[in-house]
Amino acid sequence: MRLIKKSILYTVIIIVLGILITLGLEAYIKQDTSSRIYTEMRNVPNTKTAIVLGASVYSSGKLSPILKDRVDSTIDLFNNQKVNQILISGDHGSDDYNEVDAIANYLINHGIPQNSLILDHAGFNTYDSMYRASKVFQIEDAIVVTQDFHLPRAMFIAKHLGLDYYGYQAKERAFRIETKIMKREKLANFKALFEVVFKTTPSLSKKKV
């Protein structure tokens, strides 16, 4: 019985420590990046490039609500002359799934000139997108567009890669945050920390590995 009680106690302690570490890392990332994140269009600094980060698209090519909000916010930046080109960074890891072209088509259909678009078909995750924006596409200054739950992590990665990027919080017009997304995002913070500490190098090709 004593052994069982000790096992339960240790399990509880481990769970509590895990929760505290997870919340602490989340708080640290938010504090570390808060000065480079903007929520109001009028406050966003002018840069050459907006980087819109990919998310799910349907088989029809229609943008998911979460992605539509990111892209619509990017259109707002372009139309308000905050940027003059857009880097689309998304997953095109197979012939039958293509976030990048779906976003490009949406942008063009909403009045964005095709020659203002840069396509990154190997932005398989946030770290890859930030790394490739700098190393492959030579983007020196940019506004990164995504939702509030995701933006601090994106900016944390950019900052610790030495990039002079800012973040613009996408307006949640078509999308509402789900609990499962928040849980996944908290765990993704640990992956981001590992990547920036060890300076991992993503694949520079289109093929997903």
Side-chain angles (χ1 to χ4, degrees):
M1 182 62 69
R2 185 177 299 175
L3 181 60
I4 293 175
K5 288 182 178 179
K6 283 186 177 180
S7 297
I8 293 173
L9 176 61
Y10 292 151
T11 300
V12 171
I13 291 173
I14 291 171
I15 292 172
V16 171
L17 285 175
I19 292 172
L20 291 176
I21 291 171
T22 300
L23 294 177
L25 179 58
E26 181 182 32
Y28 169 71
I29 288 176
K30 286 184 176 180
Q31 188 278 329
D32 190 47
T33 59
S34 60
S35 65
R36 303 187 73 82
I37 291 176
Y38 295 87
T39 59
E40 298 296 331
M41 177 69 66
R42 63 180 180 272
N43 297 327
V44 176
N46 288 27
T47 64
K48 184 177 181 180
T49 309
I51 301 174
V52 58
L53 300 178
S56 297
V57 299
Y58 300 120
S59 57
S60 63
K62 181 180 178 181
L63 309 186
S64 63
I66 184 172
L67 182 54
K68 183 176 183 298
D69 280 349
R70 293 180 190 181
V71 179
D72 284 343
S73 295
T74 304
I75 293 172
D76 289 345
L77 286 172
F78 190 93
N79 288 339
N80 279 274
Q81 300 180 334
K82 293 292 184 177
V83 299
N84 54 41
Q85 66 180 17
I86 299 171
L87 171 62
I88 304 168
S89 186
D91 186 344
H92 184 188
S94 63
D95 292 336
D96 59 357
Y97 186 77
N98 187 343
E99 294 174 359
V100 179
D101 285 353
I103 297 170
N105 291 335
Y106 185 92
L107 288 168
I108 292 168
N109 289 336
H110 285 76
I112 305 300
Q114 186 171 0
N115 61 8
S116 296
L117 305 181
I118 303 170
L119 309 184
D120 177 11
H121 291 270
F124 300 123
N125 56 55
T126 308
Y127 183 86
D128 286 11
S129 293
M130 296 297 96
Y131 184 99
R132 288 173 54 81
S134 172
K135 301 298 184 182
V136 177
F137 296 96
Q138 306 297 311
I139 304 298
E140 296 180 356
D141 64 325
I143 298 290
V144 181
V145 186
T146 186
Q147 281 83 3
D148 178 54
F149 72 88
H150 182 208
L151 194 51
R153 178 162 63 90
M155 297 313 303
F156 178 79
I157 291 170
K159 177 181 177 180
H160 290 277
L161 286 175
L163 307 180
D164 186 26
Y165 291 179
Y166 295 92
Y168 179 57
Q169 183 178 318
K171 306 302 184 208
E172 294 176 15
R173 291 168 283 203
F175 168 71
R176 293 295 178 269
I177 299 174
E178 298 178 7
T179 302
K180 64 181 180 180
I181 293 176
M182 292 303 296
K183 289 180 179 178
R184 184 178 65 196
E185 188 62 27
K186 292 180 189 299
L187 294 177
N189 287 334
F190 288 97
K191 180 174 179 288
L193 181 62
F194 175 88
E195 289 167 330
V196 299
V197 168
F198 291 98
K199 305 294 184 186
T200 60
T201 302
S203 170
L204 299 183
S205 66
K206 177 184 165 183
K207 185 177 180 181
K208 191 172 183 178
V209 294

